[in-house]
Amino acid sequence: MKKNTMTFIVTFVSVFCAITLKNFLVSSFFSAGELSFVVDTLILLVIYLPIYFAFTRLGKRFITKQ
């Protein structure tokens, strides 16, 4: 698979997983109105970055060298 395709797939899957996980955690611990936009964004980034780096490392195994 090409590097650009793998980057797109990793980014899409990471964002989807991070948003789903953030919404689940926020809804189970806080009511939706309690969090400000900045805190909500920081929570999303804290969840997104480890997922992105894990999927990036996993995706490097599927990139073909041309």
Side-chain angles (χ1 to χ4, degrees), residues 35-54:
L35 296 177
S36 67
F37 175 75
V38 174
V39 174
D40 198 39
T41 304
L42 288 175
I43 291 172
L44 181 63
L45 283 175
V46 166
I47 294 171
Y48 169 74
L49 289 175
I51 292 172
Y52 178 76
F53 289 129

Side-chain angles (χ1 to χ4, degrees), residues 3-31:
K3 184 177 180 182
N4 290 341
T5 306
M6 185 55 68
T7 302
F8 176 75
I9 291 170
V10 164
T11 303
F12 179 78
V13 170
S14 298
V15 168
F16 179 78
C17 290
I19 289 174
T20 303
L21 187 59
K22 182 205 59 94
N23 288 338
F24 174 74
L25 291 174
V26 168
S27 67
S28 64
F29 292 115
F30 304 106
S31 65

